[in-house]
Amino acid sequence: MSDESTPEAPHPSEMEMLRAEMRAGFQSVEKRFDAVDKRLEGHDKRFDEVDRRFDAVDKRLEGHDKRFDEVDKRFDEVDKRFDEVDKRFHEVDSRFDGVDKRHVTLDARITDEEAATRRHIDIVAEGLRESFKIVIDKTMATGDKVDRLIASNAIEHAAFRDGHTEHEVRITRLEAARGKRKPTTT
């Protein structure tokens, strides 16, 4: 066998160091356990105090139970009163049934009146449509007439301008012809 395959035994000084480290680690753990034990003792005292408080609360709750029994009796009385109110509501419900029948009749009358009003409005609207058609036709005829007048005016204006231009040309020719002739002195 070679030296590489066999592990070497730790030197005695290394073993002692490991033992010392382990002892120190265990002592540290023991100190922590002691601290936890002290804390738990404090918690135990607190739990004892809580138990005492719960005992006091239990005594108070026994008094509350008696009060709740009294409240239950009062609720029974209230239930009886509610039964009476329920009877009154049944009477009111029957009255509302009568009112509902009246509403149905009124709704029918309103529906009939609505139909009559709708017919009247339709007739009035149709009359207005006819009146609007007449006004629109007259407006369109007037627009067409105005368009024809504008076109006629444009033609006449063009003719006038042509005449005016021709007149200017004649005057210029006459003035030029006059300029060639010299005036005679008498």
Side-chain angles (χ1 to χ4, degrees), residues 115-127:
T117 303
R118 172 69 58 199
R119 284 190 300 271
H120 176 72
I121 288 173
D122 288 344
I123 291 167
V124 170
E126 188 61 34

Side-chain angles (χ1 to χ4, degrees), residues 101-113:
K101 290 176 184 175
R102 289 183 191 164
H103 279 280
V104 168
T105 304
L106 185 60
D107 284 344
R109 286 177 55 195
I110 289 172
T111 303
D112 293 343
E113 192 62 34

Side-chain angles (χ1 to χ4, degrees), residues 20-97:
E21 281 181 37
M22 287 178 69
R23 283 186 196 122
F26 283 130
Q27 287 175 353
S28 171
V29 169
E30 283 181 25
K31 286 179 184 178
R32 285 185 179 172
F33 275 131
D34 290 342
V36 168
D37 284 343
K38 287 180 184 178
R39 289 171 86 189
L40 288 177
E41 287 174 6
H43 291 304
D44 286 342
K45 290 178 184 176
R46 284 180 160 172
F47 277 121
D48 290 342
E49 181 62 30
V50 169
D51 284 341
R52 277 187 246 129
R53 286 183 180 174
F54 275 130
D55 289 341
V57 168
D58 284 342
K59 288 179 184 176
R60 286 184 185 168
L61 289 178
E62 288 173 7
H64 292 301
D65 285 341
K66 291 177 185 176
R67 289 183 183 167
F68 279 124
D69 289 340
E70 291 174 13
V71 169
D72 284 340
K73 289 178 187 176
R74 288 183 184 169
F75 275 129
D76 290 338
E77 292 173 9
V78 170
D79 284 342
K80 290 177 185 175
R81 289 183 183 170
F82 274 126
D83 290 339
E84 292 173 9
V85 170
D86 283 341
K87 290 177 186 175
R88 289 183 186 168
F89 275 127
H90 288 297
E91 292 172 8
V92 170
D93 285 343
S94 64
R95 288 182 185 171
F96 274 124
D97 290 338

